[in-house]
């Protein structure tokens, strides 16, 4: 039976790409706006982004909030919420990686909500209104600069969770690849893998004859595979601008319209970060090959298509395609098991499975029918040396 596409897609984020993009920032923010400028631990002071923003913001009222940590916490972000209320701010400008942008999205929602902010993250309080957010992205990975998702961690609950709302898609995003120049190699590799897995989660299910969606996803994954092969060029402006655009396109929402998706890798990934503080991209390189091995029959046809069209393999078996993905991660220096990520927990499988159980994530269902036994096998596999 023909799979019929059914979707409602609107991406209102204006993208300004390139070295000149910042020159338009002043005009993008409404005159008279009172701005909260959010950033992390200070990398924006070393790559020029902070100075460029301050120059462009001359004439605007700007209050700064720094210290948004990687995997931003509710506890930190609620201090920014209090600042927004106290200073009567009405526009949030995020300058940094996905963590800062996600943090800004949360603050934009929580500022107008009197209850516990975790209600927003947990989905108990659906979000239909938020303060406007703008993003200046300095790390190419999440696509957060033009999507409607945000991921927040509650330190008190030891839980990391994503929430979604159309109201939090940024009004604009400035993508200047020059700001990526100060990234350490580790974050470049993390970003490449994160973007690759985002495309996979929207593609690696079963064939539905989605000619456009498959073609877009394959173009993005192919670009990322080529960047991995040319990893020694990663400091060149050309390499960096391709990463920045690929990462944006991988999770702006367009790849997955109307097609089956499977986000199980990401849904488990948040637990590894919450428990062990592993970088998001690294949780994915650890989990995804194990998940693909567990679900190989349900995903066989798409895995083999990916092998042919993205990795240029001739008539590959799905097993070889998983090996090719793993080899790409290895080439980037990414961990493939928990011990590679220096997790010393002697009963890591027990710990991770207990966290998944506590959060109602023993089974994921979906097209691959992931049940509790499959989840347990996946987790045990990542505890063995790769
Ligand atoms: O603290 P700062 O100074 O910002 O330093 C950051 C941080 O230490 C640093 N950094 C950023 N840009 C830099 C730089 N260092 C030098 N030069 C630069 N140009 O890099 C470190 C990591 O930054 P972070 O923002 O945490 O990284 P990323 O962009 O990978 O974001 C990860 C977060 O996004 C979430 C993840 O779960 C994680 O919490 N995700 C968000 C998604 C979304 N909103 O759609 C989807 C993703 O799947 C992901 O879950
Ligand atoms: Zn991700």
């Amino acid at each position: 039976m023909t799979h019929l596409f059914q979707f409602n897609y609107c991406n209102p984020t204006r993208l300004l790409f390139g070295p000149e993009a910042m020159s338009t920032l002043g005009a993008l923010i409404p005159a008279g706006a009172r701005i909260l400028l959010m950033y992390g631990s200070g990398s924006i002071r070393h790559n020029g982004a902070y100075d460029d923003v301050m120059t462009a913001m001359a004439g605007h009222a700007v209050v700064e909030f720094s210290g948004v940590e990687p995997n931003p916490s509710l506890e930190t972000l609620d201090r920014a919420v209090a600042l927004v209320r106290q200073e009567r701010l009405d526009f949030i400008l995020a300058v940094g990686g996905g963590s800062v942008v996600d943090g800004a999205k949360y603050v934009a929602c929580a500022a107008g909500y009197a209850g516990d902010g975790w209600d927003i993250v947990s989905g108990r309080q659906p979000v239909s209104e938020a303060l406007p957010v703008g993003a200046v992205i300095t790390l190419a990975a999440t696509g957060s600069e033009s999507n409607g998702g945000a991921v927040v961690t509650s330190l008190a609950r030891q839980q990391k969770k994503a929430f979604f709302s159309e109201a939090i898609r940024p009004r604009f995003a400035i993508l200047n690849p020059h700001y990526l120049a100060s990234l350490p190699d580790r974050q470049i590799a993390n970003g490449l893998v994160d973007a690759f897995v985002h495309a996979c989660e929207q593609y690696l299910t079963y064939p539905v004859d989605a000619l456009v969606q498959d073609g877009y996803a394959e173009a993005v994954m192919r670009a990322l595979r080529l960047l991995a092969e040319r990893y020694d060029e990663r400091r060149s402006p050309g390499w960096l601008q391709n990463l920045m655009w690929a990462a944006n396109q991988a999770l702006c929402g367009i790849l997955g319209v109307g097609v089956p998706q499977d986000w199980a890798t990401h849904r488990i990934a948040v637990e590894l970060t919450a428990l062990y503080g592993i970088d998001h991209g690294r949780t994915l390189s650890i989990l995804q090959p194990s998940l693909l091995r567990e679900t190989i029959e349900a995903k066989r046809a798409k895995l083999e298509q990916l092998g042919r069209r993205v990795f240029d393999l001739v008539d590959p078996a799905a097993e070889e395609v998983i090996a090719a993905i793993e080899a790409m991660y290895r080439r980037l220096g990414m961990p493939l098991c928990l011990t590679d990520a220096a997790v010393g927990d002697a009963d890591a499988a027990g710990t991770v499975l207990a966290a998944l159980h506590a959060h109602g994530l023993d089974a994921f269902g979906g097209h691959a029918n992931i049940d509790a036994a499959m989840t347990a096998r996946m987790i045990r596999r990542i505890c063995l040396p790769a």
Side-chain angles (χ1 to χ4, degrees):
M1 203 171 47
T2 305
H3 168 90
L4 297 177
F5 308 147
Q6 171 87 34
F7 59 85
N8 177 345
Y9 179 68
C10 170
N11 194 329
T13 307
R14 177 181 294 279
L15 300 181
L16 295 121
F17 197 105
E20 305 298 325
M22 191 64 99
S23 60
T24 47
L25 177 63
L28 290 168
I29 297 188
R34 293 180 53 76
I35 301 156
L36 179 71
L37 170 63
M38 288 180 69
Y39 56 98
S41 68
S43 60
I44 67 165
R45 289 181 185 272
H46 306 296
N47 54 33
Y50 179 85
D51 290 342
D52 290 352
V53 166
M54 289 321 252
T55 305
M57 290 290 88
H60 282 91
V62 178
V63 175
E64 294 187 29
F65 183 88
S66 62
V68 179
E69 61 275 69
N71 313 303
S73 72
L74 192 77
E75 287 80 355
T76 298
L77 298 175
D78 278 340
R79 289 195 284 110
V81 172
L83 189 60
V84 167
R85 290 180 185 150
Q86 182 194 317
E87 300 287 332
R88 290 173 287 103
L89 306 175
D90 54 19
F91 195 102
I92 306 187
L93 182 61
V95 187
S99 293
V100 174
V101 180
D102 285 5
K105 290 171 169 177
Y106 167 81
V107 172
C109 300
Y113 178 61
D116 179 352
W118 191 250
D119 295 345
I120 293 169
V121 183
S122 66
R124 203 170 306 130
Q125 173 66 33
V127 176
S128 54
E129 279 181 29
L131 293 177
V133 172
V136 177
I137 196 83
T138 66
L139 194 162
T142 62
S144 183
E145 67 274 12
S146 66
N147 69 36
V151 191
V152 172
T153 298
S154 162
L155 298 175
R157 296 171 183 80
Q158 212 183 44
Q159 189 173 0
K160 184 179 185 204
K161 206 168 174 327
F163 73 98
F164 302 89
S165 167
E166 287 301 318
I168 58 174
R169 283 190 193 261
R171 301 292 162 104
F172 63 81
I174 292 186
L175 297 96
N176 180 351
H178 174 74
Y179 299 141
L180 306 181
S182 58
L183 282 169
D185 284 349
R186 176 190 181 102
Q187 296 299 347
I188 293 180
N190 285 352
L192 198 161
V193 170
D194 193 17
F196 187 84
V197 178
H198 292 158
C200 289
E201 308 272 56
Q202 298 164 86
Y203 172 94
L204 267 182
T205 54
Y206 54 95
V208 294
D209 200 28
L211 301 179
V212 174
Q213 295 93 323
D214 278 5
Y216 281 172
E218 286 156 2
V220 170
M221 289 189 285
R222 198 177 168 79
L224 292 164
R225 182 213 117 199
L226 291 171
L227 292 175
E229 274 171 21
R230 289 162 37 188
Y231 193 56
D232 51 353
E233 295 171 32
R234 63 190 173 279
R235 295 290 159 192
S236 73
W239 194 99
L240 288 170
Q241 72 176 357
N242 276 302
L243 178 67
M244 194 165 223
W245 186 228
N248 175 271
Q249 290 294 285
L251 199 49
C252 66
I254 193 70
L255 304 189
V257 289
V259 295
Q261 305 187 18
D262 180 357
W263 286 86
T265 304
H266 268 74
R267 292 179 69 194
I268 301 176
V270 289
E271 302 294 342
L272 298 188
T273 302
L275 288 169
Y276 303 117
I278 303 172
D279 296 351
H280 175 64
R282 301 170 104 73
T283 62
L284 302 174
S285 64
I286 291 168
L287 282 166
Q288 192 207 27
S290 174
L291 184 132
L292 294 177
R293 291 201 167 96
E294 197 57 46
T295 55
I296 192 163
E297 291 316 327
K299 295 182 188 290
R300 182 170 290 280
K302 278 314 262 304
L303 273 166
E304 293 178 356
Q305 181 176 320
L306 184 147
R308 288 191 303 276
R309 299 190 187 169
V310 173
F311 285 91
D312 292 334
L313 301 173
V314 179
D315 214 4
E319 289 79 358
E320 289 170 63
V321 181
I322 299 171
I325 294 172
E326 225 171 27
M328 178 171 79
Y329 295 163
R330 201 173 277 123
R331 180 182 171 83
L332 295 169
M334 298 294 281
L336 296 172
C337 62
L338 285 179
T339 33
D340 285 353
V343 169
D345 183 352
D347 183 24
T351 309
V352 176
L353 288 169
L356 285 167
H357 180 69
H359 301 144
L361 295 172
D362 310 82
F364 297 89
H367 81 103
N369 272 324
I370 301 175
D371 61 18
M374 292 166 85
T375 305
R377 273 198 301 272
M378 267 185 258
I379 299 304
R380 289 201 196 94
R381 200 178 289 119
I382 63 166
C383 296
L384 303 170

